Amino acid sequence: MQNEFYDITILGCGPAGLSAAINATIRNKKVLIIGAEICSPPLHKAQKIDNYLGIPGVRGEELLNRFMEHALDMGIEIISTKAEAINEAEGVYNILVKGELLKSKAIIIATGIPYKPTLPREEDMLGRGLGYCATCDGPIYRSKDVLLIAHSSEAESEANYMAEICRKVYYLPLYQETMELDPRIETINGKPGEIIGSDFVQGLKLKDGSEIRVEGLFVLGGETAPDRLIPGLEISDKHIKVNRQQETNLPGVFAAGDCTGPPYQVAKSVGEGQVAGLNASKYVGKK
């Protein structure tokens, strides 16, 4: 994947992302989907869906599997991970994924329901000792103490990297899977409460009242807010602002599905995904 060049990269493998990918692939575009291990958790957990046209009474997991099979049958490339950082240079978007860089002419954001902060004051402390990508910001904390709050096992590789350069690494997992961590890492059992520090991060207070003093704090594995992932992206009422063509305020960046606002429905996501896929293909065709 290193240095790969795609026509369209889609963030999210739920109904909107898969719909966008299918329609862009039909237009002969080289497409990549970057998604989580479980695409669209809300749909995956739905026991029964009665309002999707032509398929009444279907379980969410079954419907999502059908969508995924459709995409895989078309040979669409899907990787189970998250984009760590995105920036634009000379009309091309550079996307950092697991330490590797890929390029894309256009991006479609289909990341689902907007990100909800893990901690109070999270937004205020961003860039002041709090971050979302240890791989990106790690060198800043060389020989310092850091704590990583992990939503999934994907964060383990970042924790192991930090153990190589930091004085002390604490790891607070919010999942139940088996961990493969560097023996230098200290695992913390508990639930995060609040950030310690007013101007800069000085530590983390847990729900049980105990405190861990660190100079750097990372929240990993949760869905990064789109406007933090792509600087300059316009947000309105906590959702990505788009027009009828699913275009955002940034050239070559489109958005579809729950991330653009309610109603949070499968049919709406599929429709917006189609519009985004077609219009992104038109945009790429003009470049």
Side-chain angles (χ1 to χ4, degrees):
M1 190 178 64
Q2 179 77 20
N3 295 321
E4 282 283 342
F5 203 126
Y6 295 90
D7 291 317
I8 302 170
T9 298
I10 299 167
L11 310 181
C13 57
L18 293 172
S19 176
I22 288 167
N23 282 277
T25 300
I26 290 173
R27 268 50 180 189
N28 296 316
K29 304 307 177 190
K30 185 178 180 181
V31 174
L32 171 69
I33 297 178
I34 301 174
E37 292 181 6
I38 296 180
C39 300
S40 185
L43 177 58
H44 190 268
K45 295 177 181 178
Q47 294 184 350
K48 185 179 180 183
I49 298 172
D50 281 321
N51 66 345
Y52 193 76
L53 184 63
I55 314 178
V58 64
R59 290 185 301 110
E61 183 179 2
E62 180 186 351
L63 187 59
L64 187 58
N65 286 341
R66 291 191 191 184
F67 293 163
M68 182 62 72
E69 288 172 6
H70 188 171
L72 293 176
D73 286 346
M74 294 182 67
I76 295 171
E77 184 178 357
I78 304 174
I79 57 174
S80 296
T81 185
K82 290 183 175 67
E84 298 166 6
I86 298 175
N87 62 74
E88 183 269 339
E90 299 180 353
V92 174
Y93 286 93
N94 300 300
I95 307 170
L96 182 65
V97 179
K98 288 188 174 180
E100 297 185 357
L101 192 67
L102 60 89
K103 298 179 181 294
S104 186
K105 297 177 183 177
I107 291 174
I108 298 175
I109 306 170
T111 49
I113 294 173
Y115 172 76
K116 294 180 180 179
T118 301
L119 300 164
R121 300 194 300 127
E122 187 173 310
E123 293 185 2
D124 296 335
M125 302 305 283
L126 181 64
R128 296 157 68 183
L130 185 144
Y132 298 103
C133 177
T135 303
C136 309
D137 300 336
I140 300 173
Y141 299 96
R142 186 177 296 275
S143 301
K144 296 182 179 180
D145 298 344
V146 300
L147 188 153
L148 286 67
I149 300 173
H151 284 266
S152 72
S153 59
E154 292 178 10
E156 292 173 18
S157 61
E158 294 195 62
N160 291 336
Y161 162 69
M162 296 298 277
E164 296 176 1
I165 64 172
C166 295
R167 182 173 54 202
K168 179 71 175 180
V169 176
Y170 298 95
Y171 191 80
L172 198 166
L174 301 180
Y175 59 96
Q176 302 297 321
E177 302 167 28
T178 301
M179 293 179 288
E180 297 181 2
L181 294 173
D182 187 295
R184 292 170 288 186
I185 297 171
E186 181 176 342
T187 302
I188 302 298
N189 295 316
K191 294 184 178 180
E194 60 185 60
I195 299 169
I196 300 171
S198 54
D199 295 325
F200 292 92
V201 169
Q202 295 179 347
L204 178 71
K205 185 175 183 179
L206 303 182
K207 292 284 189 181
D208 63 8
S210 60
E211 297 183 354
I212 304 169
R213 293 285 172 167
V214 293
E215 297 158 283
L217 179 63
F218 291 90
V219 180
L220 306 175
E223 200 63 63
T224 304
D227 55 327
R228 293 179 187 144
L229 190 61
I230 308 179
L233 186 68
E234 187 174 354
I235 302 295
S236 177
D237 194 23
K238 299 183 180 180
H239 296 84
I240 301 172
K241 187 176 181 180
V242 294
N243 60 17
R244 291 279 293 173
Q245 285 69 49
Q246 304 305 133
E247 297 171 312
T248 70
N249 63 304
L250 300 177
V253 179
F254 301 77
D258 290 350
C259 63
T260 68
Y264 302 133
Q265 298 288 332
V266 178
K268 180 255 194 185
S269 293
V270 170
E272 287 193 351
Q274 180 186 42
V275 175
L278 295 177
N279 283 315
S281 298
K282 289 180 182 178
Y283 174 85
V284 168
K286 295 176 182 179
K287 291 183 69 66

